[in-house]
Amino acid sequence: MKVACVGGGPASLYFSILMKLVDPSHDITVYERNPAGSTYGWGVTYWDELLQSLHGADPESARAIREGSVGWDSWVAHVGDRATVTVENGDEGFGIGRRELLGILTERARSLGARIEFECEIADEDELADADLVVAGDGVNSVLRERHADHFGAEIAVGRNVYTWLGTTKLFDHFTFAFVETAHGWIWCYGYGYGKQHSTCVVECSPETWRGLGLHEANEADGLALLEKLFVDMLDGHPLIGRAHPDGSAHWLNFRTLTNRKWYHDNIVLLGDAAHTTHYSIGTGTALALGDAAFLVGALHGGTPLQPALARYERQRKAAIRSTQRAARYSARWYENLPRYIGLPPAQMVALLGQRHSRLLPHLPPRLYYRIDQAAVRLSSVRSKGA
């Protein structure tokens, strides 16, 4: 099969790796519009469950990814000046630099015989007329998807809160949250390490707080200075590092949740953020992209023709990610409704932070939900000891 992958992100690169492992005779080219080593973002997160899946699919790239990552098994939350709460994780989490991850996947794909073409922008599938399959892994603003917008039926829901994605030289030992009260409302940040020198910080707040603090009109330098003051305890005096627009303005966004009615059209199939996005607060974007790649490879090698194979991929993958998408929606709404929880005693508030994926939590008084949850934990512990 001759395959053209448009977009050189994790989904396309991992797809090319797995396709080559299944059948080295596949002719695969990945087209990336940006130069090699040029990427946005700081670090990405993943969890132990994904690492086990990667080892099962391709141990070599899995080992390289693990070696390039930092891990944590607990998280810490600073709630204003009231308390710091530490929570032990059930699963081990990891952070890796996006550039490092892409470098690992690029080299592995090349070693297996895939071609990676940088600074090569594909604006029209007609440029790939000789390909049997075109994989659109070109992100949330996918050009190939938009050329067939009526067919794919993309819908975008825009989140209410604003956020910015930053780096810092502060090395976090734990996954760390900080909630800071200002005269204009609460603003919060979460940070995690992804290498030996840097961590990621994501800052979020309501639009009212954002405007009240003057962040809506501050340039990046002034905005970073203000955020460094607000989160000085969390950062231990370390600076924040931004990614300014060419005019020097700050990079604040509203998260866009993308869904598509269809995931394939003729020989074009959507992968990763071109097919779906999930709110950053549950840290599953990379895992979902790599999972998409694995599902698509499995469907294509099921012994069926291309169109039924793509239909199988769409059907099975949509079903597989449904619960994660639902959890992401509830997580985003928890933060949008932070005033509902922030007045609780810190231990209770942090416990509900860990339960933000719950479908029931928005419909019960927070204190009642907390009591029910703690009773369930105690009951489970008693049953475990009895066993």
Side-chain angles (χ1 to χ4, degrees):
M1 180 179 287
K2 185 176 179 62
V3 182
C5 298
V6 180
S12 293
L13 291 169
Y14 202 57
F15 170 79
S16 68
I17 291 168
L18 298 186
M19 282 287 281
K20 279 290 191 178
L21 287 173
V22 170
D23 186 345
S25 69
H26 288 311
D27 183 345
I28 302 175
T29 304
V30 178
Y31 298 95
E32 168 57 43
R33 67 179 181 176
N34 293 314
S38 172
T39 183
Y40 68 91
W42 302 96
V44 298
T45 58
Y46 64 95
W47 311 97
D48 187 60
E49 181 181 2
L50 174 65
L51 189 60
Q52 299 307 314
S53 297
L54 297 181
H55 271 288
D58 179 29
E60 184 169 329
S61 61
R63 283 192 294 269
I65 290 170
R66 177 62 186 92
E67 289 170 2
S69 303
V70 298
W72 57 82
D73 57 8
S74 61
W75 51 280
V76 173
H78 308 280
V79 185
D81 57 2
R82 289 185 286 161
T84 297
V85 181
T86 301
V87 179
E88 297 299 322
N89 259 358
D91 298 318
E92 188 174 6
F94 302 91
I96 185 170
R98 181 175 171 83
R99 180 178 288 107
E100 286 71 22
L101 175 62
L102 292 177
I104 290 169
L105 296 179
T106 296
E107 290 309 308
R108 179 60 171 153
R110 279 179 166 159
S111 74
L112 294 169
R115 289 182 298 277
I116 316 297
E117 302 290 345
F118 290 101
E119 299 183 72
C120 186
E121 185 164 7
I122 304 296
D124 191 322
E125 68 268 25
D126 292 343
E127 300 175 52
L128 308 169
D130 61 339
D132 300 307
L133 176 68
V134 176
V135 177
D138 50 343
V140 65
N141 298 314
S142 171
V143 173
L144 294 185
R145 187 194 66 228
E146 289 309 299
R147 283 185 57 80
H148 304 280
D150 290 343
H151 173 83
F152 286 112
E155 293 185 0
I156 292 180
V158 180
R160 181 175 185 273
N161 286 351
V162 294
Y163 74 98
T164 186
W165 205 279
L166 305 170
T168 179
T169 54
K170 163 69 178 178
L171 300 181
F172 295 110
D173 296 327
H174 311 273
F175 198 102
T176 303
F177 295 87
F179 296 85
V180 174
E181 187 174 18
T182 77
H184 307 283
W186 288 83
I187 186 169
W188 53 96
C189 173
Y190 68 77
Y192 55 88
Y194 67 84
K196 296 180 179 179
Q197 297 181 324
H198 292 92
S199 298
T200 293
C201 284
V202 181
V203 179
E204 181 180 349
C205 62
S206 71
E208 293 82 9
T209 300
W210 183 57
R211 294 190 188 94
L213 291 171
L215 290 167
H216 65 301
E217 56 187 7
N219 61 32
E220 186 191 45
D222 291 342
L224 291 179
L226 174 57
L227 295 176
E228 287 167 359
K229 290 179 181 178
L230 291 172
F231 295 106
V232 63
D233 292 337
M234 175 187 182
L235 295 170
D236 291 332
H238 285 264
L240 289 169
I241 309 166
R243 182 171 64 93
H245 290 289
D247 63 359
S249 61
H251 205 84
W252 288 91
L253 301 167
N254 296 87
F255 189 80
R256 297 183 297 160
T257 299
L258 168 74
T259 57
N260 282 280
R261 184 179 64 251
K262 298 290 294 181
W263 284 18
Y264 71 96
H265 175 62
D266 293 336
N267 70 332
I268 303 174
V269 62
L270 306 180
L271 203 63
D273 283 355
H276 54 81
T277 61
T278 54
H279 195 262
Y280 54 82
S281 62
I282 65 169
T284 60
T286 300
L288 291 179
L290 300 180
D292 287 355
F295 265 72
L296 181 55
V297 170
L300 291 170
H301 290 90
T304 56
L306 181 61
Q307 291 300 303
L310 297 182
R312 176 187 171 199
Y313 159 68
E314 176 189 286
R315 181 178 64 255
Q316 292 185 343
R317 190 57 179 156
K318 276 187 173 182
I321 69 172
R322 194 166 292 130
S323 62
T324 302
Q325 291 176 315
R326 182 170 56 245
R329 289 195 298 270
Y330 282 109
S331 179
R333 290 171 189 167
W334 190 95
Y335 286 107
E336 291 177 348
N337 293 305
L338 183 68
R340 187 173 189 258
Y341 308 103
I342 198 67
L344 296 171
Q348 294 185 24
M349 181 266 181
V350 172
L352 297 189
L353 170 64
Q355 291 288 314
R356 64 189 183 278
H357 312 145
S358 167
R359 301 169 67 177
L360 183 61
L361 178 55
H363 306 289
L364 286 178
R367 292 178 187 273
L368 174 60
Y369 182 96
Y370 174 79
R371 290 197 296 271
I372 293 173
D373 180 64
Q374 292 302 298
V377 170
R378 289 193 294 271
L379 179 60
S380 176
S381 177
V382 169
R383 287 176 174 173
S384 177
K385 291 178 181 178

